[in-house]
Amino acid sequence: MDFRLLRYFIAVAEELHLARAAERLGIEQSPVSRAMRDLESQLGVQLFDRSTRLTRLTWAGQVFLGECRRVMATVEQAVKSAKAAAQGYQGHLRIAICDGLAQPRIATLLARSREEEPEMEIRVFELPFAQQLKTLHDDLLDIGFALSNAVHDGLVAEPVWTDPLSVIVPARHPLLAHVQVPLAEALKFPLVLCHPESGSGCRHQIQALLQDAGTPLKLVDEVTSLGVMLTLVGAGYGIGFAIASQVQTLQRPDISIRPLAGSPPVLSTYLLRRRGEPSEPMKRFIERAKGGRDRACR
């Protein structure tokens, strides 16, 4: 099959408008329209529903779009690997991190890996938890970092380190009277939490920790990322919970961070990978990640 047809199909399927797809591809509309007819003829299936004024993908078209994206990602990966090999790299790792992680810790891990294995190319992507699972399953990613271990068959989640949970409050807030905030006091205020299906997956851990306190949660909003949560907290919608080291790197004047009183609950960060024997480069990277955990515990 002509690779060009796949590229054209993805543009049309994502735009659902021939003129916009042609503009995106930088060509005239008629070749795009002809290419879609040729593609459907080659496949022997209808990819688009043209029975209404709006162009829609058929179920076959939706399935084909997913596969085409995977093919394109694989080809892009092959090109990058070839270029990396030409530059002297002798292997690669594809690593993803989620929004909301303690990124200074991950930065240290990446720096150490680059120092110890300069011949290894490490590519880093930012992907939400759900997308990490899919990309790992499709073998387009080697390692993921997330705050959830809710992986499906074929994947494993290994805890690599923990971080204490902190309270995030607006810059002027009654809780700032506490140097260390009792959890029971914090739960008297409205909460802004990340949505269960978005971001780093931290909602599952945080909700379990908060529910253990035995106080009904006053949830006012669910957001898609740490950045949106901090924005709403800074605007006074409510308070939030997060890893202090991650929030501190953002240096926002509209919020303040307070540790929880007593023995604060902790969030676990998990390393995600496909089940089975990891490659030698992956083994060494995992050992470094767990070594950082061990040093943090001492």
Side-chain angles (χ1 to χ4, degrees), residues 96-98 127-136 141 144-146 272:
I97 58 177
C98 288
L127 294 174
F129 176 64
Q131 189 63 32
Q132 284 195 27
L133 299 185
K134 184 179 187 308
T135 312
L136 280 166
L141 188 67
F145 285 99
L272 316 177

Side-chain angles (χ1 to χ4, degrees), residues 138-202:
D138 291 342
D139 198 16
L140 298 175
L141 188 67
D142 299 306
I143 289 173
F145 285 99
L147 292 170
S148 176
N149 63 349
V151 299
H152 46 65
D153 291 344
L155 301 180
V156 294
E158 305 176 68
V160 286
W161 58 70
T162 60
D163 293 278
L165 189 66
S166 295
V167 185
I168 316 300
V169 300
R172 292 180 293 276
H173 195 274
L175 287 177
L176 293 177
H178 300 275
V179 177
Q180 295 184 328
V181 178
L183 182 57
E185 288 296 313
L187 295 182
K188 293 178 181 178
F189 294 91
L191 302 179
V192 179
L193 300 179
C194 286
H195 192 278
E197 303 303 324
S198 68
S200 64
C202 64

Side-chain angles (χ1 to χ4, degrees), residues 51-292:
S51 60
T52 64
R53 295 181 59 185
L54 297 176
T55 300
R56 300 178 186 274
L57 284 172
T58 62
W59 172 240
Q62 294 177 46
V63 171
F64 191 60
L65 175 60
E67 294 300 320
C68 285
R69 285 171 172 160
R70 186 174 62 82
V71 169
M72 294 292 286
T74 301
V75 171
E76 183 180 349
Q77 178 68 57
V79 172
K80 289 180 178 179
S81 296
K83 289 182 177 180
Q87 294 170 2
Y89 291 111
Q90 297 179 14
H92 69 267
L93 284 177
R94 301 158 298 177
I95 297 171
I97 58 177
C98 288
D99 172 77
L101 287 182
Q103 296 198 32
R105 197 192 294 265
I106 293 181
T108 301
L109 172 61
L110 294 173
R112 184 182 168 201
S113 296
R114 286 165 54 86
E115 179 181 348
E116 294 182 1
E117 294 191 72
E119 74 283 357
M120 176 67 59
E121 184 191 25
I122 299 178
R123 292 193 286 275
V124 181
F125 309 89
E126 184 178 8
L127 294 174
F129 176 64
Q131 189 63 32
Q132 284 195 27
L133 299 185
K134 184 179 187 308
T135 312
L136 280 166
H137 183 267
D138 291 342
D139 198 16
L140 298 175
L141 188 67
D142 299 306
I143 289 173
F145 285 99
L147 292 170
S148 176
N149 63 349
V151 299
H152 46 65
D153 291 344
L155 301 180
V156 294
E158 305 176 68
V160 286
W161 58 70
T162 60
D163 293 278
L165 189 66
S166 295
V167 185
I168 316 300
V169 300
R172 292 180 293 276
H173 195 274
L175 287 177
L176 293 177
H178 300 275
V179 177
Q180 295 184 328
V181 178
L183 182 57
E185 288 296 313
L187 295 182
K188 293 178 181 178
F189 294 91
L191 302 179
V192 179
L193 300 179
C194 286
H195 192 278
E197 303 303 324
S198 68
S200 64
C202 64
R203 170 64 179 276
H204 305 288
Q205 286 196 67
I206 290 178
Q207 185 158 341
L209 293 170
L210 299 184
Q211 287 177 339
D212 285 345
T215 303
L217 304 183
K218 300 177 180 179
L219 184 61
V220 295
D221 212 336
E222 296 180 317
V223 296
T224 57
S225 69
L226 176 67
V228 177
M229 186 266 279
L230 297 181
T231 296
L232 294 186
V233 169
Y237 282 69
I239 68 170
F241 293 91
I243 297 170
S245 59
Q246 169 69 357
V247 178
Q248 287 166 345
T249 62
L250 303 177
Q251 299 180 338
R252 295 183 57 133
D254 55 342
I255 60 173
S256 293
I257 306 167
R258 285 289 188 272
L260 289 167
S263 299
V266 296
L267 294 185
S268 296
T269 295
Y270 295 92
L271 184 148
L272 316 177
R273 63 177 179 86
R274 287 181 299 281
R275 189 177 298 279
E277 185 70 14
S279 66
E280 289 302 318
M282 283 181 63
K283 284 182 182 178
R284 293 191 293 271
F285 186 88
I286 293 169
E287 287 172 1
R288 291 187 199 104
K290 292 182 175 180

